[in-house]
Amino acid sequence: MSIGNSPEDERPFEDERVEEDREEARPSIGRALQQARIAAGLTVDDISSATRVRMNIVHAIEADDFTACGGDVYARGHIRTLAKAVHLDPAPLLAQYGDEHGGRPAPTPAAPLFEAERIRPERRGPNWTAAMVAAIVAVIGFVGFTMFQGDDGANEANVAEGSTPGASPTTKTKKPADPKPEPSDSAIAAAPQDKVTVQVAAVDGRSWIAAKDHNGRMIFDGVLKQGDTKTFQDSSKVQLVLGDAGAIDLFVNGKKIKDDFQPGAVERLTYTKGDPEAG
């Protein structure tokens, strides 16, 4: 007869060790975001520019420090935004954050807010309605006076030129200007010589795009779905970051760029007025 524990008694302890090994194998939220960013070839500056999340917050989140976010709601929002920027599914990261920080934040009770609103003293502002009515009356009076003076001036000019007083003036009908044609996709072929014009077309899939002007100001950042087209124009230089360059066709100053971009490759490109001949 065996005096020790049976194998069945030891099995729960083995299951606990397996579960602990799984927890240790799973990377932290910040580590997962950092690894995905590096794999995408993006810097913290690129992520900050694309998501509008400050660089110090990006660094803190990648170090699993969420105190700089300002609360659970903001932390969840930053995790979701950063995950989408580096092509990660945010749902597992948000679930992991909930497990580590006590689940979803409790909703704010509505009753205290309405009670505070009821006891707040009413503040009377200036009577803007009366001021607006007075302004409208003044504008109508000024327009009427101007039209009356204009009619008198026209009649006096007709008499001075020898026309018969009392005769009805001849009204000349002004020929309407020809409507300007709507710009079309072919307008890229006639790009102005004194500017740089870049057209980005997502033909083989979706891609994240960021574009800056010659001063480094962001003029576009977002995702182009398959079939979407964006055109950027600047006086001297357009800077691009393509999240998936293999899905993109580029036209610079009316000419197609024939670089062999690989699917999933991140490309940083700069074009000027002389391109593509200048490089």
Side-chain angles (χ1 to χ4, degrees), residues 145-170:
F145 176 78
T146 303
M147 294 177 63
F148 178 78
Q149 289 293 102
D151 291 342
D152 287 348
N155 291 334
E156 291 176 0
N158 289 335
V159 172
E161 292 173 0
S163 59
T164 304
S168 59
T170 302

Side-chain angles (χ1 to χ4, degrees), residues 35-50:
Q35 289 175 344
R37 173 180 62 77
I38 295 173
L42 300 174
T43 65
V44 173
D45 189 15
D46 294 333
I47 294 297
S48 178
S49 298

Side-chain angles (χ1 to χ4, degrees), residues 73 105-118:
V73 174
T108 303
L113 296 178
F114 287 107
E115 292 174 1
E117 187 67 25
R118 284 198 297 269

Side-chain angles (χ1 to χ4, degrees), residues 156-254:
E156 291 176 0
N158 289 335
V159 172
E161 292 173 0
S163 59
T164 304
S168 59
T170 302
T171 303
K172 293 183 180 181
T173 303
K174 187 175 181 180
K175 183 179 179 181
D178 294 334
K180 295 182 178 180
E182 292 293 331
S184 63
D185 292 340
S186 61
I188 190 68
Q193 298 298 319
D194 59 341
K195 295 182 180 180
V196 54
T197 304
V198 178
Q199 186 184 68
V200 183
V203 295
D204 293 327
R206 54 182 291 167
S207 175
W208 171 72
I209 304 294
K212 296 181 180 180
D213 63 10
H214 69 281
N215 290 321
R217 289 191 298 263
M218 186 70 68
I219 56 180
F220 176 80
D221 65 356
V223 175
L224 260 63
K225 298 180 181 178
Q226 185 171 4
D228 288 352
T229 300
K230 284 288 184 181
T231 301
F232 311 111
Q233 195 172 78
D234 188 73
S235 60
S236 61
K237 181 171 64 176
V238 172
Q239 305 173 65
L240 293 176
V241 179
L242 308 179
D244 185 356
I248 297 299
D249 276 358
L250 282 178
F251 297 85
V252 178
N253 297 324

